[in-house]
Amino acid sequence: KGGLSSPDEPALSVHTLDGRIMCWVEIGNPTPERLHKASKAAPRVVVVTQHDPALLVKDIASSKTKVHKADQIEVYALNGHFLDAIAKHIGDRGCALELTVTEGELYVTAGGETLQSTLTKVPLA
């Protein structure tokens, strides 16, 4: 609904026509409680983080909250320099972003520049 501005909703989500959440996407470093809620609400949960993913793994391992289906949650880490390069174009008026994912590589074209980063998948459990 509100994306990042609605704290109770996922940052991104995919819904069925009858309103069920099929994919819940979190951005950053969500709490174990939030991941538990997400994994109970949707069959697929994805976290995309710019932080060290080891921090997320450590938070979950040391939490009193047992995260439902933690072994099925997909965590992808993005390189901070890659995000900084994209951020230079975000404020450009009329800047269109093109996104392509191929075999674990992420390509973003912004302002005529193509940027590339490896999507590093990190297991939670």
Side-chain angles (χ1 to χ4, degrees):
K1 296 177 184 176
L4 294 174
S5 65
S6 296
D8 292 335
E9 297 292 322
L12 299 167
S13 59
V14 177
H15 295 260
T16 62
L17 292 176
D18 62 359
R20 291 179 290 132
I21 299 175
M22 296 306 296
C23 182
W24 180 305
V25 179
E26 284 293 324
I27 308 295
N29 198 11
T31 64
E33 293 79 15
R34 184 150 177 93
L35 288 176
H36 178 72
K37 174 183 176 179
S39 63
K40 296 287 274 186
R44 182 175 183 209
V45 178
V46 178
V47 177
V48 179
T49 185
Q50 73 280 15
H51 303 291
D52 180 357
L55 297 173
L56 183 59
V57 173
K58 181 181 173 185
D59 284 350
I60 290 173
S62 64
S63 175
K64 292 179 183 178
T65 302
K66 181 173 177 2
V67 177
H68 181 71
K69 296 184 181 178
D71 60 326
Q72 295 178 22
I73 295 175
E74 300 170 50
V75 179
Y76 296 95
L78 291 176
N79 181 298
H81 298 295
F82 173 72
L83 295 174
D84 290 341
I86 292 172
K88 291 178 185 175
H89 297 287
I90 297 296
D92 296 347
R93 186 174 192 181
C95 177
L97 297 175
E98 295 177 25
L99 175 75
T100 305
V101 179
T102 305
E103 297 181 16
E105 296 294 317
L106 175 65
Y107 300 90
V108 175
T109 303
E113 181 180 6
T114 299
L115 307 162
Q116 179 265 334
S117 181
T118 299
L119 279 174
T120 305
K121 189 171 181 179
V122 180
L124 273 186

